[in-house]
Amino acid sequence: MLLVGLFAPGEQCSAAAALGMLYYFILAHQPDFDVVWCRGTVGEKIFKPWVDIIEKNGCQFLTRKRVTDLLIDETSGTVNGVACGDETIPADAVVFSVGITGMQRIVSNSPSLQTREEFLNVSNLGAIDVLAVRMWLDRKVSIPKPSNACFGFDDTTGWTFFDLNSLHDEYKEEEGTVLEADFYHANQFLPLSDAQIINKVKGYLAKCIPEFEGAQVKDYVVVRFAKAVTHFSPGCYDYLMRGTTSFPNVFMSGDWIVNRHGSWSQEKAYVTGLEAANRVVEYFGEGELARIIPVEADEPHVQELRRLNSLVRDLQQQLPFHNFFL
């Protein structure tokens, strides 16, 4: 579960991050332990309609603009512009919504950010390689469950595979099987050729469901994402950024930003985005605050266990030599 949830082997994971991830996805709210999968790609079904709505409300999206620096008002200490090479875009506020690797690249090019320790400390963080494979097979293979988490094939790599005939509407009537396999901490796979990767994935699938052995691959897509997802390594907490920065009008969002909400992964990235937007509203004193739904309260039996644990800890504090015990 750590290989799939934190994208790295247990010995490479922060204990605090492991507990947070396991609690959010598994231990808390057992009746809710399920995932609702999108009926198509997230880009097409969620982000494209979302972008269309935002554009209709007056927002302009500028693509192919690589941020190289921030322009600072020396009098107020606020940011008043974003430099993209030779082009400068005026800014009243800035929200960074990028991953660790993206932030490291921006800092490496930005003299302004290099003056702030919190941004320099991002260099102490790491990211993990991900590999995504989509395959079209010449026949239907019976896959008992549409989503599957797998382990035991590689010591340092976890992976999942999905039956897209069941999950995506566009493949529902497909004659053959369409599936996707995602590999996390896929360092050793990225240098391989596409053909080598497809043979390896097909062999792994056949170990899970023998029927895959006789199927032929008609088409495939292999996408490599180098240093793409957050590595919550031991000791990383001290270098993770907060939602506010030493610049009064620069804010942060992402799954690697520290907050108190309790969510994780994509949900946390979304929540921190709302928090950043709310900070902009509060900074200018105008606009409408986004409503952030809190994580559900613990179930009664978990609350009782927490109470008992707190009681035991209080009693331990009263014992002599209590500091010698964990």
Side-chain angles (χ1 to χ4, degrees), residues 298-311:
D298 286 329
E299 295 163 296
H301 63 280
V302 177
Q303 293 183 29
E304 183 62 19
L305 287 172
R306 284 187 182 277
R307 188 189 69 81
L308 291 173
N309 182 61
S310 178
L311 181 62

Side-chain angles (χ1 to χ4, degrees), residues 70 72-74 76-79 107 110-122 241 245-248 250:
L70 300 182
I72 312 300
D73 184 321
E74 297 299 335
S76 64
T78 59
V79 172
V107 173
S110 171
S112 298
L113 295 181
Q114 290 166 12
T115 64
R116 307 299 169 111
E117 185 177 359
E118 65 207 300
F119 287 98
L120 290 175
N121 280 340
V122 176
M241 294 193 68
T245 70
S246 56
F247 296 105
V250 175

Side-chain angles (χ1 to χ4, degrees), residues 8-48:
E11 66 273 13
Q12 298 182 26
C13 295
S14 156
L19 289 172
M21 182 276 296
L22 292 171
Y23 179 78
Y24 181 69
F25 283 122
I26 298 177
L27 301 179
H29 323 297
Q30 286 87 6
D32 301 332
F33 181 49
D34 202 354
V35 177
V36 179
W37 298 103
C38 188
R39 298 300 308 176
T41 65
V42 172
E44 293 176 353
K45 296 294 185 180
I46 296 177
F47 281 97
K48 188 179 184 303

Side-chain angles (χ1 to χ4, degrees), residues 172-194:
K172 188 174 290 186
E173 305 302 325
E174 193 86 13
E175 292 184 2
T177 295
V178 184
L179 61 88
E180 179 162 331
D182 298 331
F183 292 80
Y184 317 104
H185 203 271
N187 315 42
Q188 71 274 24
F189 293 162
L190 265 58
L192 300 177
S193 68
D194 287 359

